[in-house]
């Protein structure tokens, strides 16, 4: 039974005008030479150059002067190492130095794709049949570095999406790193990452059971400054450091619009991108609500599954996921506990769907095989397209399958509410396949989603078009559930 799908005539496309002021460091030697040249400028030259820079860039960024100060502070050790009294430098000279350590980065110049959709916390002031939603996207710019961006909109009674106006300036969050670590859990995660044991022992053996981030960072930086350090040891030290850096909180300003907030790579673990966030509205046993998401941090050679949580879209807590099941990509959290435990979908072997349960949202072990590729359009691999959706008939799981020519299609399965290991039904044909005008993009022949919701008895399914742009489709829920139940 083929399920009818209504593709909506709305498209989210990359916008190269959306830029962030990003820290830029051109190596110690070249940075020293740059500082020397700036220190040779007289006060009038400094003021004139700074004034021109602020005139050209202040309207493009929120509080650009604070950014310049912050970026100058990042190279303070280099400046002081040159026997320059940092505290005696004028504010203008610090800002000017910071401006030379800053570059604009167009966060979504290449692609805006792999969307997920959730209900907004605020549902006030709406007409009957309307729902306010937040849509997240994977935004990609130069060098294929990915970040998370948001759009806010209203779904009307006819499932038409009305997108709110986008803010003019991008707001990067203030960052606060975790300061205290449990040694046992930290060592366990390093083992899961396959970091070399001999180097872990050398660094960690003298640390107490609860150790401070600053102490570990000083030990690692001292080791990394050794010019004779071997490449294998350097990589192990860097992996220890980027794991410690992976715990942090983000705080956006209250006067920023949600469309202006970007979750840009912060820690070393995600230096090459934040990939495919699967946002879900999580309702706890006490009926408290928070929004959570799993995503993949990538540093160019290693991936690290992470969890992000917020209760207002202003403050976000970011943590790595631990355990034998926190491997590979494609983790998706259930929107509520099942029999008192968190539940998670995963694709730990890169091919099959798994399910696992946990008492903690960050610890995942004992994955159980849930689905294998069955049909020709998914014979390479099967995975989820976001968190399961609760329906009275069962857990609705939107899946993706990879077939011939690496074509990605979207499918659907239904699982028992009390025991999601039991499959009720599964579509034998794709719910969505790339249409002819959806085949061209950064990665051709792909439709993909990171999360859907139910509205007005319909499944609202945002999806990416060939890793370039995004749109959404509407599927009648009753028709879809009937097809799934009959498929068994």
């Amino acid at each position: 039974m083929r399920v009818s799908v209504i593709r909506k005539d709305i498209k989210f496309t990359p916008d190269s005008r959306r830029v962030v002021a990003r820290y830029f460091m051109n190596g110690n030697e070249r940075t020293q030479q740059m500082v020397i040249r700036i220190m040779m400028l007289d006060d009038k030259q400094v003021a004139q150059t700074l004034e021109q820079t602020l005139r050209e860039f202040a309207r493009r960024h929120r509080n650009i002067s604070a950014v310049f100060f912050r970026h100058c502070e990042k190279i303070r050790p280099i400046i002081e190492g040159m026997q320059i009294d940092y505290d005696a430098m004028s504010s203008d000279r610090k800002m000017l130095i910071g401006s030379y350590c800053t570059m604009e980065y167009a966060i979504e110049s290449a692609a805006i794709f792999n969307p997920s959709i959730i209900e907004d916390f605020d549902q006030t002031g709406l007409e009957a049949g309307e729902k306010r939603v937040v849509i997240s996207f994977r935004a990609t710019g130069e060098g294929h570095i990915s970040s998370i961006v948001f759009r806010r909109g209203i779904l009307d009674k006819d499932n038409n999406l009305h997108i709110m106006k986008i803010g003019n300036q991008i707001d990067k969050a203030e960052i606060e790193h975790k300061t205290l670590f449990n040694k046992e859990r930290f060592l366990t995660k390093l083992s899961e990452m396959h970091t070399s044991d001999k180097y872990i022992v050398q660094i960690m053996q003298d640390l107490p059971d609860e150790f401070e981030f600053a102490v570990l960072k000083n030990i690692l930086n001292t080791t990394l400054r050794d010019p004779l350090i071997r490449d294998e040891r350097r990589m192990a030290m860097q992996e220890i450091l980027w794991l410690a850096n992976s715990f942090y909180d983000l705080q956006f300003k209250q006067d920023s619009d949600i469309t202006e907030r970007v979750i840009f790579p912060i820690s070393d673990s995600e230096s090459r991108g934040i990939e495919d966030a699967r946002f879900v509205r999580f309702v706890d046993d006490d009926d408290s609500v928070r929004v959570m998401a799993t995503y993949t941090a990538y540093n160019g050679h290693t991936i690290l599954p992470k969890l992000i949580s917020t209760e207002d879209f202003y403050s976000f807590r970011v943590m790595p996921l631990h355990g034998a099941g926190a491997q590979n990509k494609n983790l998706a959290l259930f929107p509520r506990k099942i029999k008192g435990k968190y539940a998670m979908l995963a694709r730990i072997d890169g091919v099959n769907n798994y399910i696992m349960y946990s008492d903690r949202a960050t610890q995942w072990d004992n994955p159980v095989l849930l689905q294998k590729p069955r049909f020709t359009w998914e014979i390479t691999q099967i995975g989820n397209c976001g968190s399961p959706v609760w329906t009275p008939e069962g857990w609705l799981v939107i899946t993706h399958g990879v077939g011939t020519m690496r074509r990605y299609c979207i499918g659907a399965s239904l699982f028992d509410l009390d025991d999601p290991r039991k499959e009720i039904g599964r579509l034998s044909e794709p719910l969505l396949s790339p249409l002819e005008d959806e085949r061209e993009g950064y990665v051709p022949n792909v439709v993909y989603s990171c999360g859907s919701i139910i509205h007005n008895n319909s499944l609202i399914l945002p999806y990416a078009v060939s890793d370039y742009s995004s749109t959404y489709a509407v599927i009648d829920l009753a028709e879809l559930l009937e097809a799934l139940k009959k498929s068994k």
Side-chain angles (χ1 to χ4, degrees):
M1 176 181 175
R2 183 178 290 274
V3 178
S4 57
V5 174
I6 300 173
R7 283 170 160 89
K8 290 291 188 174
D9 187 20
I10 187 171
K11 184 170 284 189
F12 301 90
T13 55
D15 185 350
S16 59
R17 295 170 299 179
R18 291 171 58 77
V19 294
V20 295
R22 183 185 181 194
Y23 174 62
F24 173 76
M25 202 278 200
N26 207 3
N28 283 15
E29 183 176 346
R30 294 181 68 174
T31 299
Q32 288 173 356
Q33 293 300 316
M34 178 266 291
V35 170
I36 290 172
R37 287 190 283 270
I38 294 173
M39 295 304 294
M40 292 174 65
L41 300 175
D42 61 37
D43 290 345
K44 184 177 180 180
Q45 289 175 303
V46 168
Q48 288 177 339
T49 308
L50 179 61
E51 169 62 24
Q52 180 183 0
T53 303
L54 291 174
R55 186 169 62 247
E56 293 182 2
F57 290 94
R59 69 183 182 275
R60 293 169 63 88
H61 301 277
R62 186 185 299 271
N63 199 359
I64 190 67
S65 57
V67 174
F68 291 162
F69 276 122
R70 187 162 60 245
H71 290 176
C72 182
E73 187 70 25
K74 283 180 175 288
I75 65 165
R76 179 171 183 161
I78 293 176
I79 295 172
E80 293 181 333
M82 298 167 63
Q83 307 305 313
I84 296 172
D85 187 345
Y86 187 87
D87 293 327
M89 291 169 57
S90 70
S91 295
D92 280 3
R93 202 170 294 267
K94 287 178 182 177
M95 275 197 287
L96 186 60
I97 290 174
S99 73
Y100 282 97
C101 295
T102 305
M103 64 175 289
E104 286 191 332
Y105 183 83
I107 57 173
E108 57 185 62
S109 59
I112 181 168
F113 62 121
N114 292 2
S116 70
I117 186 170
I118 51 171
E119 294 180 26
D120 199 349
F121 288 108
D122 179 16
Q123 294 295 321
T124 60
L126 299 175
E127 301 291 335
E130 292 183 338
K131 180 177 290 184
R132 187 173 288 110
V133 295
V134 174
I135 309 172
S136 72
F137 298 89
R138 175 179 171 184
T140 302
E142 178 190 1
H144 205 69
I145 297 175
S146 300
S147 54
I148 301 172
V149 297
F150 302 98
R151 301 289 188 271
R152 177 175 271 135
I154 294 176
L155 285 164
D156 67 20
K157 60 183 177 61
D158 298 316
N159 295 323
N160 295 312
L161 180 60
H162 305 271
I163 298 297
M164 302 293 99
K165 185 179 178 180
I166 299 172
N168 294 324
Q169 295 179 324
I170 302 297
D171 185 27
K172 288 177 68 177
E174 296 293 329
I175 308 152
E176 182 177 333
H177 285 278
K178 183 176 178 179
T179 58
L180 195 64
F181 290 91
N182 177 280
K183 183 175 178 178
E184 182 179 356
R185 287 202 293 267
F186 196 85
L187 287 170
T188 299
K189 188 60 188 178
L190 286 172
S191 177
E192 292 166 5
M193 291 161 49
H194 306 294
T195 304
S196 177
D197 287 343
K198 62 180 178 180
Y199 298 121
I200 294 174
V201 171
Q202 292 174 8
I203 294 295
M204 304 292 293
Q205 61 183 352
D206 295 328
L207 292 174
D209 292 340
E210 298 283 338
F211 64 89
E212 293 184 359
F213 171 71
V215 174
L216 175 63
K217 187 174 182 179
N218 287 336
I219 295 172
L220 292 169
N221 285 336
T222 299
T223 305
L224 289 168
R225 280 195 292 268
D226 181 357
L228 301 179
I229 188 173
R230 295 172 56 191
D231 288 344
E232 182 185 6
R233 189 182 184 197
R234 179 181 298 278
M235 180 170 290
M237 298 301 100
Q238 289 172 339
E239 288 179 353
I240 296 171
L241 182 59
W242 68 249
L243 175 60
N245 267 315
S246 294
F247 298 81
Y248 57 86
D249 291 337
L250 299 175
Q251 180 63 55
F252 290 95
K253 297 179 180 65
Q254 289 294 114
D255 63 351
S256 67
D257 184 72
I258 192 169
T259 62
E260 297 177 314
R261 299 171 215 151
V262 56
I263 300 178
F264 197 75
I266 300 296
S267 67
D268 294 335
S269 64
E270 56 202 27
S271 58
R272 299 303 300 171
I274 294 172
E275 300 181 357
D276 302 344
R278 286 158 158 78
F279 280 87
V280 63
R281 183 177 183 270
F282 186 86
V283 182
D284 217 328
D285 290 342
D286 61 0
D287 292 329
S288 62
V289 177
R290 53 186 158 151
V291 167
M292 304 173 78
T294 53
Y295 73 83
T296 303
Y298 179 58
N299 73 344
H301 67 272
T302 304
I303 63 171
L304 180 67
K306 300 182 78 171
L307 181 73
I308 188 168
S309 175
T310 183
E311 296 179 3
D312 55 11
F313 287 107
Y314 288 101
S315 301
F316 293 84
R317 172 149 291 181
V318 181
M319 300 159 286
L321 296 177
H322 306 269
Q327 308 293 324
N328 217 302
K329 301 181 179 183
N330 218 230
L331 283 85
L333 190 68
F334 279 69
R336 61 182 68 176
K337 292 179 181 178
I338 299 174
K339 297 180 180 178
K341 291 183 178 292
Y342 294 97
M344 180 84 81
L345 294 178
R347 196 189 65 213
I348 62 171
D349 58 8
V351 177
N352 305 297
N353 261 337
Y354 290 78
I355 189 171
M356 44 194 171
Y357 299 93
S358 178
D359 293 320
R360 292 169 50 206
T362 55
Q363 182 70 40
W364 297 97
D365 294 292
N366 305 313
V368 175
L369 181 64
L370 187 66
Q371 289 178 310
K372 294 181 178 180
R374 184 187 302 170
F375 308 110
T376 55
W377 56 273
E378 60 181 16
I379 211 164
T380 299
Q381 71 187 51
I382 184 174
N384 69 73
C385 271
S387 293
V389 178
W390 185 93
T391 78
E393 303 292 339
W395 290 109
L396 175 61
V397 175
I398 305 302
T399 62
H400 70 265
V402 182
T404 58
M405 296 294 293
R406 295 291 296 176
R407 185 179 75 151
Y408 277 68
C409 297
I410 294 176
S413 299
L414 191 65
F415 296 90
D416 185 83
L417 287 175
D418 294 323
D419 186 359
R421 293 172 301 179
K422 298 177 181 178
E423 185 181 273
I424 296 172
R426 178 172 169 183
L427 296 184
S428 59
E429 297 182 359
L431 192 59
L432 266 79
S433 299
L435 298 179
E436 190 61 32
D437 63 354
E438 296 176 331
R439 295 182 60 187
E440 313 303 335
Y442 188 81
V443 181
N445 307 306
V446 173
V447 288
Y448 193 88
S449 178
C450 285
S452 51
I453 61 170
I454 293 172
H455 177 58
N456 292 332
N457 299 313
S458 299
L459 180 72
I460 309 299
L461 176 60
Y463 66 95
V465 177
S466 293
D467 282 13
Y468 172 71
S469 62
S470 297
T471 183
Y472 81 105
V474 177
I475 300 102
D476 182 87
L477 184 62
E479 181 185 349
L480 176 57
L481 294 176
E482 185 65 21
L484 284 164
K485 289 186 289 185
K486 285 184 176 180
S487 69
K488 191 172 182 179

